[in-house]
């Protein structure tokens, strides 16, 4: 057997360089680059290997380990999971900084490869700087925290363990059903250790991403159920987009006339103005989709994990006889709500189902109701885009202006706050990759780091990050990375002095917005003047081109200025915290205190108990 003498760090880089993914006959390198922040846990191991291979693998230096994993996840999402980035960190805090974003990647079913440094395998120098010691085990480090948030986890204590671990890591990352964060913890001594690795490990390898077909008898059962439906609805989730099944979905919807409601991850599966598009579904849904869901007798779920935001905490589907059919690569998801489980790839299954429901059409009354609901929603969106006329702009108005400034292929990126709900309802998506919402984890701080990953994956598209002041203050520093790399993104920062979203939620549970505004402390609490933050100066200090919006009239010009600038730009706009977009025939289960001295809480509890009666079990 021919071998190559390499360190473990060098072997990892050589292996990663040889991995490709393939689907529908197209191949691409699976790992498109490596992000990393060095410390003693990785500088001499992977650091040396990256230096030696710098002409063949691009190394990116970010500002924060959590952010680099968000960037990798966004990159993977934008490439429909056919590519990702690797992330290396030192041991201890550098490693645990990645935890939050690892959970985000796994929840969103996005492949990311995490390579945290780890404590000495030999233990000779223990405890090393930043080592957390356990009185009950020497075989534990902070990297064990990655186990529940990773879809595959390993620690390489001997070089011989590396080959099976890397192969398993690749299998998981390229598996549509198992994918998520993959963590290989690398003790700092082992990273630098040399070993005679078999040459075959470094041979080019193509990981084909399959299009699994569903069980035939279940397809027949699903077709029988669907063709009996008088009020069906399709729920399109992220799986439709990841599987590149948007055209198949469009054909299916056109032929059957069934309306398509979209989850946050599925938005854009159909263009907003397609006749069968019912728009956003669920807690942050449109009146169109939520009314259709309310009456639906058969729900065809495609590529969704049916989170509470989609099902309106299990209140969205009110028809007592409603039945579900669920298409999903993951058995876990396909069986939810006692659905007829079609375990397989969204595109393949849609094609097979299509062939079995030939001639089926929704009733005329249904088709007419869909047209009327859509027209009503269009008028409602226009009303919200027109704004309130108040001195301070409403968030909906800003969304309308951003929408008007962008082309059909441009991408908006967002994750947390009140923006995701408003965007889900109002954004007029025209391209399956044009609406990039991280709403599986809804992680404040994802936005700018994520925007960077989106732009790296799609340099030919304009990328606009919409971010609240709260999220911006949590993680704005990747603006520096964007500037350093010459990767142009546009950030629209909406300043409303804190948490408008949670402020509104707090009011709705009787808690008066407590602790959700950025105000100076007084003797009574946090109820003084607004905390003055100069966002324009802050963004400028990080190297961004900054445009401040003074009034309504200057907003379109400011957006144009930012979009046409060659540099990463930030548009700072103040918005009215109380001018919220309401809910549309929906509900979200947030339990209210059952006993309280506050009248507002007792009232909210009474309303909660009333509303909760809408919640259903699906056995
Ligand atoms: C990391 C993280 N911490 C806390 C939350 C809970 N949370 C959701 S939205 C939000 C406030 C977001 O504030 P901002 O970005 O200003 O948006 P706004 O609500 O004002 O629209 C908080 C604290 C979260 N989603 N992520
Ligand atoms: Mg805010």
């Amino acid at each position: 057997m021919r071998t190559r003498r390499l360190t473990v760090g060098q072997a990892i880089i050589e292996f990663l360089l040889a991995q490709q993914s393939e689907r529908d006959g197209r191949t691409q390198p699976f790992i498109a680059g490596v992000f990393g922040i060095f410390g003693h846990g990785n500088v001499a191991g992977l650091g040396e290997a990256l230096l030696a291979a710098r002409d063949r693998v691009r190394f990116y230096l970010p500002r924060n380990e959590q952010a680099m994993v968000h960037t990798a996840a966004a990159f993977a999402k934008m490439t429909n999971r056919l590519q990702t980035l690797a992330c290396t960190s030192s041991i201890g805090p550098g490693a645990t900084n990645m935890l939050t974003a690892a959970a985000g990647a796994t929840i969103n079913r996005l492949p990311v490869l995490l390579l945290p440094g780890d404590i000495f395998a030999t233990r000779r120098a223990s405890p090393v700087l930043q080592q957390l010691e356990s009185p009950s085990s020497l075989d534990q480090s902070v990297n064990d925290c990655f186990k529940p948030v990773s879809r595959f986890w390993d620690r390489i204590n001997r070089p011989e363990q590396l080959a099976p671990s890397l192969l398993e890591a690749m299998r998981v990352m390229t598996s549509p059903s198992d994918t998520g964060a993959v963590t290989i913890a690398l003790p700092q001594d082992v990273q630098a250790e040399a070993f005679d690795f078999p040459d075959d490990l470094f041979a080019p390898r193509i990981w084909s991403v399959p299009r699994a077909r569903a069980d035939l008898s279940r397809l027949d059962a699903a077709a029988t159920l669907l063709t009996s439906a008088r009020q069906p609805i399709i729920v399109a989730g992220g799986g439709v987009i990841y599987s590149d099944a948007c055209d198949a979905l469009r054909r299916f919807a056109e032929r059957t006339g069934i309306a398509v409601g979209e989850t946050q991850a599925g938005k854009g599966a159909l263009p907003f103005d397609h006749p069968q598009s019912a728009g956003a579904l669920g807690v942050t849904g449109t009146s169109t989709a939520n009314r259709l869901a309310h009456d639906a007798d058969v729900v065809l779920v495609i590529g969704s994990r049916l989170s509470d935001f989609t099902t309106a905490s299990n209140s969205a589907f009110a028809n007592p006889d409603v039945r579900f059919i669920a298409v999903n690569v993951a058995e876990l998801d396909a069986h939810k709500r006692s659905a007829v489980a079609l375990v397989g790839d969204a595109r393949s299954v849609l094609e097979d189902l299509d062939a079995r429901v030939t001639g089926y059409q929704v009733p005329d009354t249904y088709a007419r109701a869909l047209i009327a609901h859509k027209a009503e929603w269009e008028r409602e969106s226009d009303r919200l885009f027109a704004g309130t006329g108040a001195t301070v702009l409403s968030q909906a108005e800003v969304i309308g202006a951003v929408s008007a400034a962008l082309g059909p292929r441009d991408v908006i990126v967002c994750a947390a706050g009140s923006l995701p709900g408003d965007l889900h309802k109002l954004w007029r998506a025209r391209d399956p990759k044009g609406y990039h919402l991280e709403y599986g984890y809804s992680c404040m701080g994802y936005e700018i780091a994520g925007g960077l990953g989106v732009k790296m994956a799609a340099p030919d598209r304009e990328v606009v990050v919409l971010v609240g002041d709260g999220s911006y203050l949590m993680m704005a520093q990747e603006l520096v990375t964007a500037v350093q790399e010459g990767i142009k993104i546009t950030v629209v920062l909406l300043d409303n002095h804190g948490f408008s979203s949670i402020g509104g939620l707090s009011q709705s549970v009787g808690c008066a917005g407590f602790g959700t505004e950025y105000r100076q402390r007084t003797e009574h609490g946090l109820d003084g003047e607004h905390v003055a933050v100069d966002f324009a100066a802050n963004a400028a200090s990080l190297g961004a081109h900054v445009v401040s919006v003074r009034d309504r009239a200057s907003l379109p010009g400011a957006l144009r200025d930012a979009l046409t600038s060659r540099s990463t730009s930030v548009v700072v706009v103040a918005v009215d915290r109380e001018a919220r977009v309401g809910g549309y025939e929906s509900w979200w289960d947030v339990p209210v205190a059952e006993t309280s001295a506050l009248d507002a809480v007792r009232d909210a509890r009474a309303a909660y108990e009333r509303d909760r009666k809408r919640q259903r079990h699906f056995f």
Side-chain angles (χ1 to χ4, degrees):
M1 184 176 63
R2 285 167 63 94
T3 58
R4 278 171 79 180
R5 190 158 182 80
L6 298 171
T7 67
V8 165
Q10 291 160 359
I12 290 171
I13 299 302
E14 289 307 316
F15 174 85
L16 293 180
L17 277 167
Q19 310 308 304
Q20 298 206 308
S21 65
E22 178 275 333
R23 191 171 66 181
D24 303 329
R26 281 190 39 218
T27 56
Q28 49 275 309
F30 186 67
I31 301 288
V34 180
F35 268 73
I37 292 184
F38 294 119
H40 60 93
N42 60 343
V43 71
L46 273 172
E48 187 279 338
L50 285 163
L51 167 67
R54 67 187 180 285
D55 296 336
R56 295 181 294 138
V57 57
R58 183 167 293 194
F59 171 73
Y60 298 91
L61 173 58
R63 296 296 166 285
N64 174 298
E65 292 91 351
Q66 179 182 326
M68 74 182 172
V69 182
H70 288 321
T71 301
F75 185 91
K77 184 176 168 85
M78 198 61 193
T79 61
N80 287 339
R81 314 192 288 206
L82 296 171
Q83 291 186 289
T84 189
L85 301 160
C87 298
T88 162
S89 78
S90 189
I91 70 174
T96 51
N97 264 356
M98 298 199 289
L99 273 171
T100 297
T106 295
I107 283 170
N108 285 291
R109 319 268 164 95
L110 293 168
V112 293
L113 177 60
L114 311 183
L115 303 169
D118 212 328
I119 57 176
F120 281 84
T122 58
R123 300 174 183 166
R124 267 194 240 142
S126 292
V128 64
L129 173 70
Q130 299 169 327
Q131 175 170 348
L132 181 144
E133 292 177 276
S134 159
S136 59
S137 170
L138 297 182
D139 184 35
Q140 218 173 64
S141 81
V142 293
N143 285 339
D144 288 82
C145 298
F146 283 93
K147 285 179 181 171
V149 297
S150 301
R151 298 309 292 272
F152 174 73
W153 184 98
D154 206 359
R155 181 182 278 129
I156 304 300
N157 283 312
R158 296 178 57 85
E160 293 91 327
Q161 295 171 332
L162 187 63
S165 188
L166 287 174
L167 292 170
E168 199 52 18
M170 281 302 300
R171 181 194 68 75
V172 170
M173 283 191 288
T174 56
S175 156
S177 56
D178 285 0
T179 198
V182 160
T183 303
I184 302 182
L186 298 166
Q188 66 177 97
D189 48 349
V190 181
Q191 273 182 61
E193 195 173 329
F195 182 73
D196 295 313
F197 289 96
D199 233 6
D200 288 350
L201 181 60
F202 310 110
R205 206 178 282 263
I206 296 176
W207 299 83
S208 77
V209 178
R211 291 198 175 276
R213 304 202 98 93
D215 177 76
L216 296 178
S217 60
R218 288 219 193 133
L219 272 167
D220 291 340
T224 306
L225 179 58
L226 193 59
T227 49
S228 74
R230 302 209 34 91
Q231 307 249 60
I233 187 170
I234 294 171
V235 177
V240 174
I241 295 174
Y242 295 147
S243 133
D244 208 357
C246 299
D247 284 344
L249 174 66
R250 185 179 46 71
R251 282 193 298 274
F252 188 84
E254 284 170 1
R255 272 212 270 278
T256 58
I258 306 176
V260 177
E262 293 170 336
T263 72
Q264 285 277 15
K267 191 173 162 82
L270 289 187
F272 81 98
D273 52 357
H274 187 279
Q276 264 69 51
S277 169
L281 173 75
V283 177
T284 51
T286 63
S287 49
T288 313
N290 285 346
R291 284 176 193 161
L292 292 167
H294 184 270
D295 297 335
D297 51 1
V298 176
V299 183
L300 171 58
V301 185
I302 311 171
S304 169
R305 69 190 188 110
L306 292 181
S307 84
D308 64 345
F309 260 75
T310 299
T311 65
S313 302
N314 279 332
S315 71
F317 305 106
N319 185 328
D321 300 320
V322 66
R323 295 282 313 275
F324 294 83
I325 301 166
V327 181
N328 209 294
V329 280
E331 283 204 359
L332 169 73
D333 292 318
H335 284 275
K336 285 175 179 169
R337 310 294 181 278
S338 302
V340 178
L342 301 179
V343 181
D345 167 70
R347 195 163 99 185
S348 299
V349 178
L350 263 175
E351 285 165 2
D352 289 347
L353 200 54
D354 205 352
R356 283 170 171 74
V357 299
T358 326
Y360 170 78
Q361 272 276 324
V362 293
D364 282 353
T365 45
Y366 174 104
R368 278 199 298 276
L370 175 58
I371 293 170
H373 291 332
K374 272 179 74 76
E376 185 183 328
W377 180 254
E378 204 78 348
R379 286 193 296 277
E380 175 66 354
S381 313
D382 286 341
R383 183 185 73 77
L384 289 160
F385 288 157
T388 56
T391 321
V392 188
L393 279 78
S394 70
Q395 187 158 281
E397 227 177 323
V398 177
I399 292 171
V402 173
S403 172
L406 291 186
R409 289 188 75 251
D410 297 341
V411 190
I412 57 156
V413 181
C414 191
S418 56
L419 276 161
D422 292 3
L423 291 167
H424 194 210
K425 287 172 226 174
L426 296 175
W427 189 256
R428 292 175 167 170
R430 291 172 280 177
D431 181 284
K433 300 309 296 182
Y435 181 85
H436 183 115
L437 256 285
E438 189 285 281
Y439 213 64
Y441 212 35
S442 187
C443 184
M444 290 171 74
Y446 174 91
E447 296 88 345
I448 293 173
L452 186 62
V454 171
K455 184 71 180 181
M456 286 172 66
D460 60 328
R461 297 183 191 235
E462 214 55 66
V463 175
V464 175
V465 173
L466 288 142
V467 63
D469 53 327
S471 274
Y472 179 90
L473 287 175
M474 235 182 232
M475 206 176 284
Q477 76 292 329
E478 296 315 306
L479 284 173
V480 181
T481 311
V483 171
Q484 151 198 301
E485 294 292 336
I487 295 172
K488 189 256 161 89
I489 57 172
T490 301
V491 176
V492 179
L493 195 176
L494 292 94
D495 179 11
N496 55 19
H497 306 293
F499 309 159
S500 163
S501 52
I502 307 299
L505 182 61
S506 165
Q507 282 166 13
S508 76
V509 297
C511 292
F514 173 74
T516 62
E517 271 192 89
Y518 294 152
R519 288 187 181 274
Q520 294 287 349
R521 181 165 300 283
T522 71
E523 57 188 290
H524 308 295
L526 291 174
D527 62 353
E529 291 295 304
H530 281 135
V531 177
V533 180
D534 189 340
F535 287 104
N538 179 279
S541 77
L542 300 179
H545 167 62
V546 179
V547 199
S548 294
V549 175
R550 272 172 308 283
D551 50 27
R552 178 166 288 112
S554 63
L555 177 60
L559 290 170
R560 247 192 332 272
D561 176 345
L563 285 165
T564 50
S565 164
R566 292 167 66 93
S567 332
T568 282
S569 302
V570 178
V571 178
V572 182
V573 51
V575 288
D576 184 346
R577 156 188 192 94
E578 303 301 331
R580 298 187 175 90
V581 180
Y584 293 84
E585 305 177 33
S586 200
W587 177 70
W588 188 29
D589 188 349
V590 179
V592 180
E594 200 168 351
T595 174
S596 174
L598 302 170
D599 287 345
V601 175
R602 286 198 300 272
D603 290 349
R605 178 70 198 191
Y608 173 70
E609 284 175 11
R610 208 172 44 241
D611 288 341
R612 203 173 54 176
K613 297 203 169 75
R614 296 158 61 180
Q615 195 166 43
R616 303 190 50 194
H617 294 293
F618 298 100
F619 296 121

